[in-house]
């Protein structure tokens, strides 16, 4: 049994209710993230993150598989890289690549009723990252 597992077991034993609440919050966040992913990313990155979704075919660059991010990053899910890449802070490999700059366009399919231009609610973005972390193989 790993040290981390032991640690979380002892924390949970100390406060079972708090522990259940925390994991409920996490699974709610992952569910919300799945919804955001389906609206904003699945067309290109595939229904379950496997890559090469139909909207990215014929664009020249097929959208990469997102379930292998952890594997391609020495076993660590690169949360900060994904955050910065999706928000357009990092230079894309191909400047003409189709990946939208979400800091500019916002989660426009999640908020079809509008809201501020380029709107990305922090909770929704964290939920998206939680979902992506959860689908790593
Ligand atoms: C219109 C198609 C399209 C959409 C929509 C799209 N992407 Fe992408 N994405 C791409 C393409 C093409 C690349 C690879 C080329 C590049 O570097 O821009 C890419 C690259 C990435 C990468 C880098 C992967 C790596 O291994 O380097 C991440 C992370 C990513 N996308 C996440 C997302 C997330 C999260 C969303 C939804 C919020 C999203 N993408 C929406 C097309 C898309």
């Amino acid at each position: 049994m790993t040290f981390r597992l032991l640690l979380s077991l002892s924390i949970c034993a100390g406060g079972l209710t708090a522990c259940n609440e925390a994991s409920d919050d996490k699974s709610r966040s992952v569910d919300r993230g799945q919804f955001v992913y389906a609206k904003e990313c699945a067309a290109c990155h595939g229904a379950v993150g496997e890559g090469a979704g139909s909207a990215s075919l014929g664009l020249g660059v097929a959208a990469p598989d997102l379930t292998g991010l952890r594997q391609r990053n020495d076993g660590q899910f690169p949360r900060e890289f994904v955050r910065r890449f999706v928000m357009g802070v990092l230079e894309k490999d191909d400047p003409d690549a189709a990946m939208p700059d979400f800091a500019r366009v916002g989660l426009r399919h999640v908020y079809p009723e509008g809201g501020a231009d380029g709107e990305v609610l922090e909770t929704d973005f964290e939920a998206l990252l939680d979902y992506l972390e959860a689908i790593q193989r």
Side-chain angles (χ1 to χ4, degrees):
M1 193 183 290
T2 66
F3 176 67
R4 211 167 60 194
L5 185 55
L6 270 177
L7 193 67
S8 64
L9 275 178
S10 62
I11 291 169
C12 287
L16 206 51
T17 333
C19 204
N20 283 338
E21 273 168 21
S23 74
D24 279 0
D25 283 355
K26 189 74 174 183
S27 73
R28 252 197 303 277
S29 180
V30 169
D31 285 353
R32 176 67 185 170
Q34 182 170 28
F35 173 79
V36 173
Y37 177 86
K39 292 277 187 190
E40 304 289 349
C41 323
C44 290
H45 288 282
V48 290
E50 74 279 20
S54 56
S56 79
L57 302 177
L59 292 174
V61 189
D65 152 45
L66 296 182
T67 67
L69 284 166
R70 178 168 60 202
Q71 212 170 60
R72 295 195 293 272
N73 192 56
D74 299 330
Q76 290 282 342
F77 177 65
R79 197 171 174 105
E80 284 314 306
F81 162 79
V82 177
R83 185 193 302 280
R84 294 173 60 209
F85 191 92
V86 174
M87 286 305 161
V89 181
L90 289 183
E91 192 120 338
K92 311 279 193 269
D93 287 347
D94 169 2
D96 300 324
M99 168 99 184
D101 174 356
F102 286 94
R104 201 166 48 74
V105 301
L107 301 179
R108 62 200 150 161
H109 302 102
V110 176
Y111 320 122
E113 305 299 320
D117 273 357
E119 185 174 28
V120 180
L121 294 182
E122 184 65 20
T123 48
D124 281 339
F125 194 61
E126 292 305 322
L128 175 64
L129 294 173
D130 285 346
Y131 170 69
L132 290 174
E133 187 164 7
I135 61 170
Q136 296 308 300
R137 49 180 146 81

